Structures are given as structure tokens and as C-alpha cells.
Amino acid sequence: MPQAHMEETDRAETTAERAGTRARRLLDRWRDGGIWRRGLILAAIAILLGLLMAFHASLPNDIGNLGSLFETFLPWFGLAVPLLLVFALVRRSATALIALLLPAIAWFNLFGGVFGDHTGKGGNLTVATHNVDADNPDPASTAKDVAAAGADIVALEELKTSAVPIYEKVLESTYKYHSVKGTVGLWSKYPLSNTGTVDIKMGWPRAMRATVATPHGKIGVYVAHLASVRVKFKAGFTANQRDASGVALGEAIRAEREQKVLLLGDLNGTVNDRSLAPVTSQLRSAQGAAGSGFGFSWPASFPMARIDQILVKGMDPVSAWTLPQTGSDHRPVAASIKI
């Protein structure tokens, strides 16, 4: 028994020594710039990134529309997380690794849901919209590509006056009804009525409205091309005219009498952009509700943002997708809707 007691005491002392040794090692690493002290700058960057993503709505728009610019490309800031992870592992910094949890959680809270496939079945109306690009070198081919999507309703934006007859000729065999107002147009398999220009404070027609008599009821359909935006070194994100046109469009939609509303067009902004709230707060994004992935549509060669939108009210999006590249600098987008 005494011998057993001595063995147990020796084991306890050995365990305590090992624990003390680990503690001393950690302390030594701290004192010598070890895993906890290394990578403090990386940790600070990670925390700042996480706070920016978590509280992006608090970023001011007063200076160069900084908030809108950040929100336009918000999904892409998630790429900084794996990049910082690599740096943290190279630096062997526990502090940076722990700090990376903040931006990772913030990003997944915002966009984790897009990785699921939300597409369904049962749609009875297919719609598409496409900014065809005024400088499109082959409008006829683009018109054929859009028609091949099989949509019941098609909206086209940035129509060049000289190219309108080409689009009309190619699309007339598929779409019996159509109306063009300024640089936007609507083609439909179903009758149109009450067509007219919507004033979005641009100085020339870039938005229109029509009533479409589908077999499942009437829909108030809007086609819009909001003002373009630019990123300039001195002026920042020049989106003031876009924002003003968005407010005007939102007022028109708010006054709409039809219970079912469809907005198709190039809004030159994402649904995350708070400046488009006058429009997006009233309508539901087909891509957000029934799409798979982000559905980026611009620029066509390497899409980085979804600025071409299909938004609905009083109807249920069933599926949404991005169509292949045409001769435009945008990609067409389409959706199936259940009325």
C-alpha cells in the first residue's frame, strides 16, 4: 500500500510538472512574441472587416456614397477571410485565427443561405430581362438568344434607336405584343394595355409601365433602367442621380393599382444597396427567393454584381437563373413565377 501511494503521488507530481511546463511555454511564447503576440495587425484587420460586414448599414453615404459602394460588392469581401487565414497560419498566430471568426460569422450570416438551391416547380409565368448594350455589335443575335430562353415576357434596356427595328423583327414571331418607350421596351406573348412612360427624373424615357393580361390575371409590369453609376477618385461612388431615379420609380410603384406587380430591368445597383430601398422595400427579389447562388449579371465577361433585377409583388418566385453571355456587357437574367 505505501508503495502504491508513492506511485500515485509521483504520477500527480509528474502531471503537475507537465501542466506547469505547458504554462511556462505559453508564457515564454507570449514574452518572446509567440503565437498570441504574433499577427496582431492581422487580427485588427480581421476584426475591422467583421465589423464592417456586420454593420454595413451604418457606413455613411454622405462622403462619396461609401456605404452604397461597399454594399454593391459586399459578397466579395468574404474572399478576404481565406486570404487572412493563410497569413494567420503562416504567421502561426492564434490571436489572428480567433479574430477571423468574426468576419467569417458575419459573412455567413449575410450570405450563407445563397449556397442552398431554392429553385422549385409550379411556375406559370416565365420572365426575362436584359440590358442589350447600346454598342452591341450584333443585336439580331442577342435578340435570338433572348427569345430562345422561352420567356413569356421579356424586357430590354439600353435600346439604341437604330437597333429597335432589328429587335422588333427578330422577336415578332415569338412575341405578338410589344411596346418601346425611349431606350426600354417590353415584349409579351399576352396582350398589353395602358402602356406609358414612367418619369424617373432622367430627362429622357428610361422607364415604362404596362398592364399585361396573362391567362392567370392582370399584372402591372415595369421596365426600368436607372441612372448609371461611376467610381471616381475625387468624387467617390457617383450614384446620386441613380438614387434620385430610384426614389421616383419607388413612388410610381407605390401608386400602382394592380395587386400583382413585376419590375424588370437594370437598376445599376444590388438589392443590398440601401439607396435602392424605395424600390426593393416594396418588392421581392426572384433571385433572392428562388435562385441558386448570387446570380451575378455584370460585367458579362466576369460577373461581379447582380445589378439586373427581377422583382415581384403579389406573386411567388419559383426559380431564377442567369442566362449565357450575349453580345452585351450584361448577362440576361430570367425567373419562373407562380401567379
Side-chain angles (χ1 to χ4, degrees):
M1 289 298 291
Q3 185 176 357
H5 177 72
M6 290 176 64
E7 290 177 354
E8 291 177 359
T9 301
D10 291 342
R11 290 196 193 99
E13 290 176 352
T14 302
T15 302
E17 289 175 357
R18 288 175 180 172
T21 301
R22 292 195 192 99
R24 283 193 296 273
R25 286 176 181 170
L26 289 174
L27 186 59
D28 289 340
R29 287 177 180 176
W30 169 261
R31 290 172 176 171
D32 299 334
I35 60 173
W36 297 105
R37 293 186 63 185
R38 281 196 296 264
L40 294 182
I41 294 178
L42 287 175
I45 294 173
I47 292 172
L48 177 61
L49 178 64
L51 292 175
L52 286 173
M53 288 194 288
F55 301 101
H56 62 88
S58 299
L59 279 172
N61 249 357
D62 299 333
I63 304 174
N65 292 297
L66 179 62
S68 290
L69 177 60
F70 186 83
E71 288 166 339
T72 297
F73 299 103
L74 189 56
W76 290 94
F77 284 89
L79 292 178
V81 175
L83 182 62
L84 289 173
L85 175 61
V86 171
F87 287 142
L89 291 174
V90 171
R91 290 284 292 149
R92 292 182 295 173
S93 170
T95 303
L97 288 173
I98 294 173
L100 274 172
L101 289 174
L102 179 59
I105 292 172
W107 192 90
F108 275 102
N109 181 58
L110 289 169
F111 303 111
V114 304
F115 294 107
D117 188 354
H118 307 293
T119 58
K121 297 180 180 180
N124 50 25
L125 182 73
T126 301
V127 301
T129 182
H130 188 26
N131 180 323
V132 295
D133 186 4
D135 297 323
N136 193 319
D138 191 357
S141 178
T142 295
K144 291 177 183 178
D145 291 340
V146 173
D152 302 303
I153 298 173
V154 170
L156 300 182
E157 304 86 49
E158 208 169 294
L159 290 168
K160 191 175 182 178
T161 302
S162 59
V164 169
I166 300 175
Y167 288 104
E168 290 176 330
K169 182 178 181 180
V170 174
L171 296 174
E172 64 181 357
S173 61
T174 305
Y175 301 98
K176 185 177 180 181
Y177 310 93
H178 88 278
S179 177
V180 175
K181 303 294 183 184
T183 60
V184 297
L186 181 65
W187 277 259
S188 172
K189 294 180 179 179
Y190 310 120
L192 304 179
S193 62
N194 301 319
T195 60
T197 300
V198 176
D199 183 10
I200 57 172
K201 313 301 181 184
M202 292 284 296
W204 70 95
R206 295 219 336 180
M208 64 172 290
R209 182 226 175 263
T211 300
V212 180
T214 77
H216 311 284
K218 293 183 178 180
I219 303 174
V221 179
Y222 289 78
V223 182
H225 183 193
L226 298 190
S228 299
V229 297
R230 298 287 186 272
V231 180
K232 299 179 180 180
F233 180 74
K234 293 183 178 180
F237 194 50
T238 57
N240 292 336
Q241 189 179 27
R242 190 280 312 268
D243 298 347
S245 61
V247 170
L249 179 60
E251 291 174 351
I253 293 173
R254 188 172 292 107
E256 174 62 48
R257 294 183 179 182
E258 294 292 345
Q259 296 299 310
K260 299 177 179 62
V261 180
L262 172 66
L263 170 60
L264 305 166
D266 174 8
L267 302 189
N268 271 309
T270 70
V271 293
N272 295 317
D273 189 337
R274 92 246 347 230
S275 294
L276 293 182
V279 174
T280 56
S281 63
Q282 301 184 68
L283 305 169
R284 190 180 182 193
S285 166
Q287 178 65 30
S292 177
F294 290 103
F296 294 148
S297 61
W298 176 88
S301 57
F302 187 81
M304 297 182 66
R306 185 182 178 88
I307 61 176
D308 301 277
Q309 307 294 349
I310 297 174
L311 307 176
V312 304
K313 177 183 178 182
M315 301 175 286
D316 294 321
V318 174
S319 59
W321 60 97
T322 303
L323 296 168
Q325 183 176 357
T326 68
S328 170
D329 57 341
H330 291 242
R331 292 195 181 191
V333 297
S336 176
I337 299 167
K338 182 177 181 181
I339 305 177

